[in-house]
Amino acid sequence: MGRVAGKKLLSIMALVAMVGLLLLPIAVSLPSLAIGADAPDAVKQEGEQKYEKGRDVYYKTEGLAIGAPAPKTVDGPKDYPRYNFESRVLLWFANQQHLYYGSFVLAVPIFCMVIEFMGVVTKDKAMAKRYDQLAYDFIKISLTAYSLTAILGGILIFTFLTLYPAFFGYLSSIFRPVMHIYALMFVAESGTLYIYYYGWDKMRDGFLKWIHLSMSVILNVIGTLLMFLANSWIGFMMSPAGVDEQGRFLGNIWHVIHTALWNPLNVHRILGNMAFGGGVVAAYAAYKFLASKTDEDRAHYDWMGYIAMALGVAFLIPLPFAGYWLMREVYAYRQQMGITLMGGLLAWLFIIQATMIGILFLSTNYYLWQALGRMRGAEKYQRYIKYLVFILCCGYLVFITPHTIVMTPAELKAMGGQQHPVLGNYGVMSAKNGGINVIITTTILSFVWYMRGNKVSTVSWSKFGNIFMGVFFACAYVNIIWLAIYGYYIPANVRVGLSVPQVATTLSCLFFMFPLNSAMMKGAKQMGAIEWGKISVRSQYALIMLATAFTWMMGLMGYIRSSVRLFWHVNEIMRDNSPWAYTHTVGFAANMISFNVLFFWVSILFVFWLGSLGMKKAPVPAKAGVPGGAPQPAAGH
Amino acid sequence: MKAIMSLGALIGVAGLLLLSGMIVGIVPSDTVRLIEGYMPVQVIAELILFVAGFTGISYMMSAMGMTFPRFWQGISCWAFVLLYLKFRVYPPIPFSVRAMYGTVSLVAVFMWVSANEEDWQKFKQPIMNVLDAKTGGNRLLRYAYLIILPILIGGFSYNAMVPKSEEPIELRTVHPAPPASTKVHGKTYTLQTSQNPYRVNPEGKYDQEYSNANIVEQGMGRLMKPNANPWDKDAQGYLKYVREGGEIFYQNCHFCHGDNLNGRGLHAFAFNPIPANFTDPGTIAQLQETFIFWRVSKGGIGLPNEGFPWASVMPPWEQHLTVDEIWKVVMFEYWHTGYYPRTWD
């Protein structure tokens, strides 16, 4: 008894220590934040004598220009020292690899939190154990990746210091008040992660398990704050605030952090990281599935891949909407930036992005259709898959139609102008919004089919429920397509607003149809068990494709976001005067992204291998999937 | 059910016959016209009809005991999409887009034929048969493939690598990002906030809703709204300015941009690309009025760096027109096409 109480005390102390670690950076930063708008009067008066006044380029407020102006760099060894290689490409590589690993190690703890929580609340003891083991395996992988992230972060800083000293010096002078907070957050993150990982076995049951789960929440809060801080740097580079026209810091660090694009970037990155993390873990499971020698292993990794895919896709579905918000804010911040991105110089990269998004959804749907094959009784849905393929294909073709078409001058002449009377209509936002919403709604429909694959509803209102669901989806498609067409007949500002009912239609399918389906399937008659491991190998390649597409798209979007600044280090504040202040060709960028993706996958395979050296095998129930004791792969299923 | 499927089959057969006729040139390509303005929806509707037709044909053939093998279903479906894009849609779709569509269709066909294990087995059976070569015919086919495939691949490779005298592919930036502000006749205009001074209501105040209510109806024929005729001698305010803009347009712009503003003017085909088609939803309908003001004022020579390959011969109209005339002509373009300029509120 005394021992248990001691453990509890120790756990609570650990939790308190974590909260303390979380608060430490804030406490440390308090004196440095005092400079600025909220500084004591004495300090202000002294400052007014010493410094000129400046006007914030974004917030339009006045403040004391306490920082140095942005350096006017010149091409030479002082501002741009270099190896005998393009410095920008080196930085690109270091940055991208750090971002991949950073995203992974931020996403996996969120996964662990969700999976551990599912384990805690699941009543089935065997399932609870499996969830717990899965979460533990994930965090173990993440631990190795964590040290690699830190190493890559170091390499990135050295690359900045060595190749772009003037720019990095300026950026760190602006962010000086929070630079050390960032570093201390890393300490807090590491400390929390280690306590969370090493305390796993000691806090396995009862109240201690809840304490352990709480630790994962704190770990994720720290991780998210870390990411927000890092986002503030890129937000500042794209849409600077808190400085005057010369780039002088005006003393309000909150303005510097809270730039026009900070919040949309934060939301987009959280969702993106989660979807990416899901993809990577799903690919890991797929690889292990393909390499498995026993049915038991295949069942385990099939299940693992499904969970990772479901979590990843759960965050993928809202991702286009977050991206839409980000682009809207970009347009609102600077019209030129928006046009450069979506209608001008970088427009073709967005077509590639649309292609990748389509691949993600196509892969997900394909996986789900394959997964129907491991359920007895799901045959009734399989015969209709061809119609879903057609709908998906139409939505996808519209979604990827370019506005700026690549063509020879002869083709241009034959077409009779830059705009094609058919393709031109598909190449604009109204049609594309319709396209992506059709794709997402179809994905939701595939999920609904999967969730009811081997079941027959026994509720008295099942016939009405089925008709209602059918009509709901049909109306959703009609509404989305009608709004896409209607968008051509109304002013652009109203058209932009039409995306709201389109998205609402798609989301209402998600939020109404899933619960309705779950209600209908409560106590449903099972036509057969889910036979984990009896899924086609094609499905696993779909998971690998999903992960590769995620990785490639992350690289692409990072490149687009960065290159939209064109020849600016900090948009309209600090000019890039290096010889590489030009936009790469689409071909070069694509090759570079592919190289980054390849490097990441080779290195993460190494991480997986390291993780597998000491991996404990998950105890799988001998008859997983039998009716009554069937493993429930995801919430609501 | 059978009746519906029979109807589907009938539609499918009729559609296939029409398309085949168009491909071989027996049936004129405009037998079933793609109507301008409705083309995009028409194309999708036609594809839906074809899918319904294929389903019907497949069902009827099964009912008659002549099941069409899944392998050939997949191949035919893909071939149909390629032929439809090449021969049905006009003006011709550039190869880059057809390649994209063709690849997506191929992926879609693969997803369909491999969606479940039974279908996948059926689909790959003929391929496996040839590879296994258990019969004389299959053995012959295997040898034929052994010879033909390398020749084909070699031919494609040679064709791809052989130097050609064709003009290179250009990735034209149609709407380059505008500057934050532009200086015309000594005055600086901020593009994000400037407004057309002639887009006014009867009280003389800037009013986009009022002007939107008086533009030409979109659709076939593009009809003027009743009581909103700029050529009415009593027309005042906004409508009068539209008329003045129209006069400037027909004195200066219509030679290239056409009297219907569709980019097909008298001199249009002397240029490549031909002038912008304002009736297309991808041109002025996508842009702020100030963007057009900037482009008209500065012309092709004023295109920014990213406006590659700067293929525009439009003169910088600030050298020929006053600021007021430019604003009026821009307003006329929106009035005539029935589009609304983009706004941010």
Side-chain angles (χ1 to χ4, degrees), chain A residues 537-554:
Chain A
V537 290
R538 296 187 302 284
S539 66
Q540 304 304 304
Y541 291 117
L543 288 183
I544 292 171
M545 170 67 100
L546 189 76
T548 314
F550 268 130
T551 324
W552 212 92
M553 199 166 78
M554 259 182 81

Side-chain angles (χ1 to χ4, degrees), chain A residues 366 369-370 382-390 538, chain B residues 54-55 58 68-78 104-120 123:
Chain A
Y366 188 71
W369 301 335
Q370 294 300 312
Q382 287 183 330
R383 76 180 83 150
Y384 299 112
I385 285 173
K386 52 181 171 283
Y387 302 112
L388 293 194
V389 173
F390 178 70
R538 296 187 302 284
Chain B
F54 293 156
T55 310
S58 175
F68 195 36
R70 184 50 49 99
F71 177 78
W72 289 111
Q73 283 184 20
I75 299 288
S76 318
C77 196
W78 188 49
V104 170
S105 313
L106 185 63
V107 170
V109 167
F110 169 76
M111 286 171 75
W112 161 43
V113 297
S114 66
N116 62 61
E117 207 51 42
E118 195 189 334
D119 276 352
W120 180 235
F123 178 80

Side-chain angles (χ1 to χ4, degrees), chain A residues 335-336 366 401 404 406 420 426, chain B residues 40 91 96 101 114 172 178 288:
Chain A
Q335 186 189 4
Q336 304 103 295
Y366 188 71
T401 301
T404 308
V406 175
H420 192 284
Y426 297 152
Chain B
S96 67
Y101 285 4
S114 66
R172 186 170 180 239
Q288 262 188 299

Side-chain angles (χ1 to χ4, degrees), chain B residues 41-333:
Chain B
V41 176
Q42 209 179 335
V43 165
I44 290 181
E46 278 187 16
L47 285 174
I48 291 171
L49 278 178
F50 270 112
V51 167
F54 293 156
T55 310
I57 293 172
S58 175
Y59 179 86
M60 294 306 287
M61 284 180 74
S62 293
M64 290 187 287
M66 299 187 295
T67 309
F68 195 36
R70 184 50 49 99
F71 177 78
W72 289 111
Q73 283 184 20
I75 299 288
S76 318
C77 196
W78 188 49
F80 160 77
V81 174
L82 298 183
L83 293 171
Y84 182 88
L85 293 172
K86 172 91 177 150
F87 293 99
R88 171 65 179 136
V89 183
Y90 55 85
I93 301 178
F95 176 76
S96 67
V97 182
R98 272 193 290 124
M100 283 167 70
Y101 285 4
T103 310
V104 170
S105 313
L106 185 63
V107 170
V109 167
F110 169 76
M111 286 171 75
W112 161 43
V113 297
S114 66
N116 62 61
E117 207 51 42
E118 195 189 334
D119 276 352
W120 180 235
Q121 292 302 332
K122 277 189 208 164
F123 178 80
K124 66 179 187 180
Q125 197 55 54
I127 303 170
M128 300 311 289
N129 288 346
V130 173
L131 289 174
D132 287 345
K134 284 185 179 155
T135 63
N138 281 332
R139 205 168 300 133
L140 200 67
L141 265 178
R142 195 170 68 170
Y143 284 125
Y145 284 132
L146 192 67
I147 297 162
I148 293 167
L149 279 178
I151 292 173
L152 275 177
I153 293 165
F156 281 127
S157 307
Y158 174 79
N159 196 37
M161 301 300 287
V162 71
K164 294 183 184 75
S165 56
E166 288 171 7
E167 292 172 275
I169 285 172
E170 281 178 358
L171 185 53
R172 186 170 180 239
T173 306
V174 184
H175 303 310
S181 61
T182 185
K183 202 170 185 179
V184 182
H185 288 294
K187 194 180 166 194
T188 302
Y189 295 86
T190 306
L191 267 60
Q192 201 143 355
T193 53
S194 294
Q195 292 174 329
N196 190 331
Y198 296 99
R199 193 173 285 284
V200 290
N201 59 21
E203 286 85 48
K205 288 191 180 145
Y206 180 85
D207 190 343
Q208 178 137 5
E209 276 185 31
Y210 173 79
S211 60
N212 286 350
N214 287 291
I215 56 172
V216 161
E217 286 275 0
Q218 271 203 72
M220 287 153 69
R222 297 186 189 275
L223 299 169
M224 274 191 293
K225 298 250 171 77
N227 306 320
N229 178 2
W231 277 266
D232 184 333
K233 59 180 174 17
D234 299 326
Q236 288 301 314
Y238 165 74
L239 290 173
K240 178 170 158 276
Y241 301 136
V242 166
R243 181 177 68 218
E244 289 167 10
E247 284 164 5
I248 299 158
F249 182 89
Y250 288 109
Q251 283 163 9
N252 300 281
C253 317
H254 97 285
F255 303 105
C256 298
H257 288 286
D259 51 5
N260 204 22
L261 281 70
N262 58 1
R264 279 145 177 80
L266 193 64
H267 304 313
F269 292 95
F271 310 121
N272 194 13
I274 65 165
N277 171 5
F278 300 142
T279 62
D280 187 279
T283 58
I284 62 171
Q286 291 289 310
L287 301 163
Q288 262 188 299
E289 206 165 12
T290 47
F291 187 105
I292 316 297
F293 176 78
W294 163 66
R295 289 289 291 115
V296 172
S297 307
K298 302 297 172 187
I301 204 164
L303 277 168
N305 286 344
E306 69 162 283
F308 178 85
W310 308 284
S312 168
V313 291
M314 191 164 81
W317 284 101
E318 63 180 342
Q319 294 175 8
H320 308 278
L321 300 175
T322 64
V323 168
D324 292 338
E325 286 171 331
I326 296 174
W327 279 124
K328 282 176 187 169
V329 84
V330 170
M331 201 163 66
F332 169 76
E333 287 166 7

